[in-house]
Amino acid sequence: MIGLISATAAGAAARDRLAAAWPDRTRVYEGPVGEAVRAAFAQCEQLVCFLATGAVVRLVTPLLSGKTADPGVVCVDEGGRFAVSLLGGHAGGANELAREVGEVLGAEPVVTTATDAADLPGLDTLGLPVEGDVAGVSRALLDGEAVALRAEVAWPLPPLPVAAEGPYTIRLTDRLVEAAEREVVLRPPSLVVGVGASKGAPVEEVLGLVEGALREAGLSAASVAELATVDAKAEERGLLEAARRLGVPLVTYRAGELAGVDVPNPSDAPLAAVGTPSVAEAAALVRGGELLVPKRKSAANPAMATCAVVRRPGRGRLAVVGLGPGARDLLTPRAKAELRRAAVLVGLDQYVDQIRDLLRPGTRILESGLGAEEERARTAVEEARAGRAVALIGSGDAGVYAMASPALAEASDDIDVVGVPGVTAALAAGAILGAPLGHDHVSISLSDLHTPWEVIERRVRAAAEADIVVTFYNPRSRGRDWQLPKALGILAEHRAPTTPVGVVRNASRPDESARLTTLAALVPATVDMMTVVTVGNTATREIAGRMVTPRGYRWQEEPE
């Protein structure tokens, strides 16, 4: 919860705007400011104070207990011009909160954390448990000193300016090791502990078994991603409590699924009890990996718990990102976040140029020209399979005539894939023209490079007969000058010559142009590959210079 505190009418107005924007995330604290700050500091994960920074410093100083425990605090000035990350920039999330507040209120976020100011990911913001000399290694990264990355476990990380060797080290490992001098240890969630338990197994027995197995194998409990068991044990209190204390979920699988897993130590006892010859080993191995600790029993007599430990391989991450039609303000916040998270960027050279300034230092860029779509798709998937965090970019929405299709055709289930939607050319053009897509509509590409013209023509004819608004992508190029006239002719068989047609070139870009014409008056020679052509249906009208397809509301019907 985010506590909101203000002292003046201007501050209260900005406070109320934030509260209205985030009704489920915020709580307004009324009353004397000092009491409100103290109450919010004790009860909330974050605070936004519409007060002077000096006043907030004096109020929160007596309340501070430690970097990892204190809430994040953001200050907003009386004029609503700045959102200052004052306390808990990383651990308390105040840096990101300042940016979010800035977006809602139109304020400039002020972040003074060194790594953020240098556009480097903080070592304590990677989402992994971190140990060791965080300050010293972070300072070395900021100063440009050589910092070596020792990745004992493959795991997708954001771009870091690391070297092969250096006096400072970032060590990525699930081994039970202590950080050396000038070293940071990152703990990837690479371990899965399979557990079996008799009914009523006490949590102390389960937890003691798991922790002992990890310790004796030289493995860190901080790298445990989950406890796994058979679904018949989903409500076993000892397992649930052990998972809670370890801070991980208890994941369950059907007995039939576990029975199909090849394990080194099957047993008749679990087969009779829950329908699978193995619980601990099978639950740990069911999603693949390396068995580090075979099944072992607890020391109690009789033993009421078993466990096994598996290291799952690090899964690479492929984000397929839509950049929108070109304007920076139509690039979504989620797309920006994925671009900054990626250690490897793959894309068409002209699209890379659009967003190069958003990438973090150290991002590896793999760019190529037109016609290399399949090569880019393969490259992105190969980089992700190597355990890296990859962003594959496309214009508009990456799933619409763009890179998502070839990439996902190459990808298998050995990588994580994230789709990031973008504003399509059809939507951008529609917004410029008015509301041409107000009713059913379809997008059709007129490029026959990959689709036979017979198929395209059949689709155009179906749209024409169904009276659906049509947006043509790739309408005309130097080598393809007859397809658009042919498609317009098909539509003209079912629509009046006066049917509105919108033509938009380079939607949302500096050289954007748009015009409204008719089906009979459109000159195909004025259209190129940077243009989308939207043809209305029989209900589409030009109203006040805008192209509008009525939604069909009853109150819009003309009186008889």
Side-chain angles (χ1 to χ4, degrees), residues 141-194:
L141 289 171
L142 290 167
D143 291 342
E145 297 190 51
V147 178
L149 175 63
R150 292 176 55 192
E152 299 173 12
V153 178
W155 209 262
L157 294 175
L160 292 166
V162 293
E165 299 291 339
Y168 294 85
T169 305
I170 299 172
R171 186 175 180 184
L172 186 68
T173 182
D174 54 20
R175 291 288 176 186
L176 188 60
V177 296
E178 291 187 8
E181 186 179 358
R182 296 184 172 185
E183 182 178 67
V184 161
V185 175
L186 297 176
R187 303 289 189 188
S190 54
L191 303 178
V192 175
V193 180

Side-chain angles (χ1 to χ4, degrees), residues 436 440 463 467-471 491 495-496 499-502 519 533-541 547-549:
D440 296 337
D467 196 26
I468 297 176
V469 175
V470 181
T471 297
L491 292 176
R495 301 180 194 184
T499 299
V501 176
L519 189 56
V533 178
T534 300
V535 181
N537 65 12
T538 56
T540 304
R541 300 287 182 268
M547 186 176 178
V548 179
T549 301

Side-chain angles (χ1 to χ4, degrees), residues 1-5 18-19 21-22 24-27 40 44-50 70-76 82-113 116 125:
M1 185 62 67
I2 303 171
L4 306 181
I5 302 103
L18 199 61
W22 300 339
D24 298 327
R25 298 177 60 190
T26 57
R27 174 182 173 186
C44 298
E45 292 83 18
Q46 296 173 320
L47 280 69
V48 179
C49 300
F50 297 84
D70 295 329
V73 178
V74 170
C75 293
V76 179
F82 302 102
V84 182
S85 174
L86 183 68
L87 178 70
H90 284 168
N95 292 350
E96 183 58 32
L97 180 59
R99 297 185 182 99
E100 291 185 85
V101 170
E103 289 183 3
V104 174
L105 300 181
E108 180 71 23
V110 179
V111 176
T112 58
T113 306
D116 289 71
T125 67

